[in-house]
Amino acid sequence: MEDIARFVVDYAGSLGSTYSEARIQKLVSRSTSIKNGEPQFSAFLTELGIGIRLIINGSLVFASTNELSKSNVTETVLTAATMARVAAETLRKPTVLSNVKTNRDKWEVQQKQKLTSVGMEDRLKLILEADKCFKPRRGVKFPARILTLSETINEQTFLNSEGTFITSKIPRIAFSYIVTAYSPGKGTVQRFNKKGASSGWEAVSAWNLIELASEEADILASILSEGRKPPKNVLDVVLGSEVVGIVSHESCGHPFEADRILGREAAAAGESFVSTEMLGKRIGSSQVTVVDDPTIPQSYGYNLYDDEGVKVRRRELIRRGIVNTFLHNRETSAELGIESNGAARTISYSREPIIRMSNTYMDRGDHRFEELLESIPKGVYIKSFMEWNIDDRRFSQRYVGLEAYLIKKGKLAHLVRNPVLEITTPRLYESVDAVGRDLSFTAATCGKGDPQQGAPVWTGGPDIRLRKVRLGGL
Amino acid sequence: MENSLASLAVREGKRGGADNVAATYVREDARMIRFANNEVTVSQSWRSTTICVMVSIRKKVAIGVIEDLSEGSMKQSISQLLKIAKTTRPNKNYVSLPAGPFKYRSPQAGLSVQSSNLVKYVKDAISSAVSSGADRVAGSLFFRSSSIGIETSAGASGNDSLSSLEISVRAFSGIEASGQSNSCARSEKDFHPEQAGKAAAEIAKKAVNPFEGKPGKYDVILGPNVVANLMNDVISAASAFNVDAGLSFMAGMLGKRVASKSLTLVDDGTLSDGLNSRAFDDEGVPTQKTIVIKNGVLQSFLHNSSTAKKFGRRSTANAGWIVPQPWNIIVERGGASEEGLFSDLDNGIFITNNWYTRFQNYRTGDFSTVCRDGIFRVADGEIVQSLKGLRISENLPRLLRNISCLSDKQYWVKWWEVEFPTLTPYVLVKDVNLTKSLE
């Protein structure tokens, strides 16, 4: 494969490109799904192709093909070069990439137990066992369930005209489910959840799917049978790790993507309420530190190099309430005259690398969970969520709690159903007055790009306390 | 060449012991030009051939997507797929592929567009928006020319082509005011990027200096973008797989009222100007027009052969081997002119676009979606104020029942937030719950 990549870079150079890169990617994925306890299908996907980026006359172009003959690859590069030249006429300023260190490396995520060592039969057996945990209890049934176990093994060769040459192999495994619980007279609740890791089968063993499903069934039954109406006024709210994760992802990670800030994603994914002038300014209380870190071992968003061949690093987006840094690729960092911090990602050979999060979380504080509750006379603890959304400048967001409790005199009193937190980003981060000490993560698929690219990420955080916010809803 | 690859997949599948094999191929040449801040940011092109294969062995089903297409790799992939099928367990609801051969209409005409023309279309959209008052213009133009085909072990064999031009334009006037519009067509003569640019800019201009919206229940006019987004979710709820999986508010509602009498909703894979029209579905059944909701009453779910058997119906030619999918979604026009629709609104809200529709519960249809771009207060039929910060927080069945009136002109919508092409008019809905965030 290296020879094809090298041919592309050399050929692009002969056509007048000032920068070129070739990324050959082989993606093999397997998945198996069951619906209501019945096997549906197993799937197998093999993807092998090349993604190419060139800059000619200051114009950036991306091209891809899965037909790797020399003649077809040549034609693909030629088409790309033509498009670059034609589009260059519209440019007011050329595309420039920031200078970066060249890297040469070969690496892979080590698997204690190789994913390929576990057959489809055993996988199916495991999720069928997990599904059996959703037995009726306390008058609650689970009439609709979909459980899916899937893996991808991504082997990649990256080479660019500056001398960077990296080969890598990342196995990823994920388990997801959507379950409906129903009780006559109480209605339904639905739960979607996902576990994910860059790892071998040992991650699945650690998840303990049977215990996970059993706990999920118990809590869904409790929500339906015991959940009461939540209060709807201004009070203190404790958000659980799962909710803090989505908050950190949606209202810090996304608005801190420099391509949004500079307008490049304005058409679809949107812009940002954050501007470059806000660097160094306060955006939240001093309790708030939000991090995006691709280097967490076994994390779902793990990588050592981004998809521009830049060494990745931990990035503190908000440090103690202050806007600290943005997520950058080589294009946005050049525009702001700084170094790239390695946030360019792509999900396939057929997609351009763009700025993406990896594992985004609020950093831990020093409070035990009981300490977060003890000073609250009346409040709500929202442990998990189902519905959420946020506007395209990432300013106004909504989270609807799934597992949630009334807090009374510093203790959890009883379950409440569907508390709605609808709040602006600054108000949310300003309201944080205490942060828990236990950090945990949830797997998710982040959407961005045109065409869409669903990227594997972790979202996470500890439990946090918000003072005097309003709960609303229908 | 692609037909022969699909045939090879079917032959290899049968040789390896499968009792049903279906193989589809897609040969795609596509290009996209993305633009922002009034200039091109990146040009993209794709050349790919993909073979999708479904095999079943005694109801044990495996599905493969193969992009490594050398004959050796193809055979290896099919062998792997058969191995996976053998080691899975039977899907009790699976039924054999429908017996062909089938007679299909002639393949649709392809479309060829030069890269220089694509750039010209982008320039047209940007200059039209700027001359209509936009400060900044962003968007994407997408052109595809694909040939598709199918071979099945039950005797289906056919091919078709899919071509389309799509542009989505977002115009900005200042920081907080924006408008979005699009044009999509199967031919260059029906493609109007300059009109999309102008329409986006006109919304953006009206949207300047927005006031904070006030939460409450309002009569609301939903523009075509919003209707298209929500109707994609309605059609998804009509997919028999989702009904069976507990992910639909329409379960148990066949023959019953699910919307106001004003709403008729159709899926049509046969439309000559439909962006996603195809001669056959993934089981080789000739596509058709399916009335999903007629005058507010649920008529049919979308089916493949297996879901049809389970529901005691006939396939509606919407396979998806596992999940039935729509082709082109049509919201039938109403009787009111657009002007008439607005003049009927004494005091309400006009929402031009939305995004990020998420469900609290697919079974009940509780959801919210964020209003985006121009949001306007309407009084006595006139736009009187630009608003911001509102969210539709509703129940989808209730919203459908509260549809009051539809306009008499339809628009094609397909963009980032609208996956399946949708032809729709403006829609007036009564008593829509709008919420906003705590500042």
Side-chain angles (χ1 to χ4, degrees), chain B residues 221-416:
Chain B
I221 291 174
L222 304 176
N225 288 344
V226 187
V227 182
N229 176 271
L230 297 180
M231 290 303 163
N232 267 248
D233 283 312
V234 174
I235 280 281
S236 174
S239 170
F241 178 92
N242 289 332
V243 174
D244 196 37
L247 300 176
S248 171
F249 62 88
M250 292 202 274
M253 297 299 286
L254 269 179
K256 296 179 184 167
R257 178 162 302 287
V258 293
S260 93
K261 283 183 182 173
S262 314
L263 183 71
T264 293
L265 184 68
V266 173
D267 173 61
D268 195 343
T270 69
L271 277 179
S272 61
D273 60 346
L275 264 65
N276 200 31
S277 293
R278 292 171 42 157
F280 41 81
D281 73 358
D282 285 354
E283 294 177 328
V285 180
T287 56
Q288 63 177 52
K289 175 179 175 178
T290 301
I291 298 174
V292 177
I293 297 171
K294 185 172 186 183
N295 299 330
V297 175
L298 182 62
Q299 304 288 316
S300 177
F301 295 129
L302 302 184
H303 287 292
N304 59 23
S305 296
S306 293
T307 64
K309 174 89 184 303
K310 182 161 191 191
F311 283 73
R313 296 269 174 148
R314 296 181 61 182
S315 170
T316 55
N318 288 97
W321 292 317
I322 303 298
V323 183
Q325 303 276 5
W327 305 116
N328 302 291
I329 302 167
I330 318 297
V331 182
E332 295 292 359
R333 72 186 80 208
S337 66
E338 283 165 22
E339 296 74 22
L341 203 67
F342 277 83
S343 64
D344 279 353
L345 197 59
D346 295 333
N347 185 18
I349 308 274
F350 169 38
I351 301 169
T352 65
N353 202 10
N354 69 313
W355 94 318
Y356 227 130
T357 304
R358 289 291 183 279
F359 281 77
Q360 188 181 121
N361 188 323
Y362 292 94
R363 182 67 186 83
T364 61
D366 293 330
F367 79 103
S368 67
T369 188
V370 182
C371 303
R372 160 171 171 154
D373 302 312
I375 314 166
F376 302 105
R377 192 165 76 79
V378 178
D380 299 325
E382 299 290 328
I383 287 175
V384 293
Q385 195 177 46
S386 168
L387 302 173
K388 65 177 179 179
L390 290 171
R391 176 181 275 106
I392 299 173
S393 301
E394 259 298 347
N395 171 273
L396 197 47
R398 183 166 61 216
L399 187 142
L400 294 178
R401 285 195 301 272
N402 285 351
I403 289 175
S404 156
C405 191
L406 294 88
S407 66
D408 58 3
K409 187 177 174 192
Q410 295 158 296
Y411 302 84
W412 277 110
V413 181
K414 182 172 182 293
W415 76 290
W416 210 61

Side-chain angles (χ1 to χ4, degrees), chain A residues 26 30 32 35-36 38-48 59-67 72 75-76 79-80 82-84 86-87 89-93 95 120-121 124-125 128 143-146 178 180 188-190 250 260 262-271 331 349-352 354 386-398 400 418 422-424 427 447-452 468-470 473-474, chain B residues 27 31-50 61-69 76-78 80-81 84-85 87-93 115-116 118-119 122-123 136 138-140 142 168 170 172 175-176 180 240-241 244-248 310 322 355-364 366-373 389 391 393-395 398 415-417 433 435-439:
Chain A
K26 182 177 184 184
R30 296 192 295 172
T32 190
K35 183 176 76 176
N36 302 339
E38 298 286 343
Q40 289 298 293
F41 67 98
S42 295
F44 173 66
L45 178 146
T46 57
E47 219 184 77
L48 174 65
S59 171
L60 176 68
V61 63
F62 169 82
S64 79
T65 183
N66 68 340
E67 297 160 37
N72 186 62
E75 197 172 332
T76 302
T79 303
T82 304
M83 288 185 77
V86 174
E89 297 166 17
T90 73
L91 297 181
R92 289 177 299 166
K93 58 181 187 308
T95 299
M120 293 305 253
E121 199 163 10
L124 194 54
K125 195 174 159 194
L128 283 167
R145 311 168 309 277
I146 299 177
I178 182 161
T180 305
T188 60
V189 287
Q190 288 187 323
E250 299 290 6
R260 283 175 174 275
L262 297 172
R264 194 185 192 273
E265 296 295 317
E271 297 190 319
E331 191 180 344
Y349 74 86
S350 64
R351 296 288 183 267
E352 65 163 336
I354 56 173
M386 181 68 189
E387 175 196 330
W388 88 101
N389 52 31
I390 187 165
D391 72 275
D392 66 293
R393 297 181 71 238
R394 305 283 160 173
F395 189 74
S396 162
Q397 62 219 280
R398 171 184 168 102
V400 181
N418 304 331
E422 207 162 344
I423 191 167
T424 64
R427 179 64 186 265
K448 190 182 171 186
D450 196 2
Q452 275 270 14
K468 292 183 180 170
V469 297
R470 189 192 68 210
L474 285 170
Chain B
R27 172 81 176 89
R31 276 166 280 162
M32 175 182 274
I33 299 176
R34 301 185 67 197
F35 49 102
N37 298 320
N38 302 351
E39 64 180 344
V40 171
T41 52
V42 65
S43 310
Q44 307 188 68
S45 69
W46 299 270
R47 294 161 62 86
S48 64
T49 304
T50 306
V61 182
I63 291 172
V65 180
I66 305 168
E67 290 201 350
D68 186 354
L69 299 174
Q76 200 180 356
S77 294
I78 300 292
Q80 176 79 5
L81 197 59
I84 288 171
T87 56
T88 188
R89 297 186 190 182
N91 175 348
K92 289 176 189 164
N93 297 315
S115 290
S116 53
L118 298 179
V119 173
V122 167
K123 284 182 185 170
R136 292 180 295 126
S140 70
F142 180 62
S168 168
R170 196 170 190 208
F172 293 82
I175 293 173
E176 290 191 306
Q180 200 256 345
F241 178 92
D244 196 37
L247 300 176
S248 171
K310 182 161 191 191
I322 303 298
W355 94 318
Y356 227 130
T357 304
R358 289 291 183 279
F359 281 77
Q360 188 181 121
N361 188 323
Y362 292 94
R363 182 67 186 83
T364 61
D366 293 330
F367 79 103
S368 67
T369 188
V370 182
C371 303
R372 160 171 171 154
D373 302 312
R391 176 181 275 106
S393 301
E394 259 298 347
N395 171 273
R398 183 166 61 216
W415 76 290
W416 210 61
E417 286 288 287
N433 194 62
T435 58
K436 75 183 296 291
S437 289
L438 174 68
E439 296 282 334

Side-chain angles (χ1 to χ4, degrees), chain A residues 1 21 27 40 133 137 183 190 194 235 251 260 286 301 339 368 371 427 460:
Chain A
M1 291 301 163
E21 71 186 27
L27 194 76
Q40 289 298 293
C133 298
R137 62 197 73 193
S183 173
Q190 288 187 323
K194 187 171 186 176
L235 36 66
S251 64
R260 283 175 174 275
S286 59
E339 255 186 40
R368 287 183 294 110
E371 290 172 332
R427 179 64 186 265

Side-chain angles (χ1 to χ4, degrees), chain A residues 190-203:
Chain A
Q190 288 187 323
R191 167 70 164 159
F192 173 81
N193 196 16
K194 187 171 186 176
K195 293 278 182 187
S198 301
S199 162
W201 189 257
E202 60 273 17

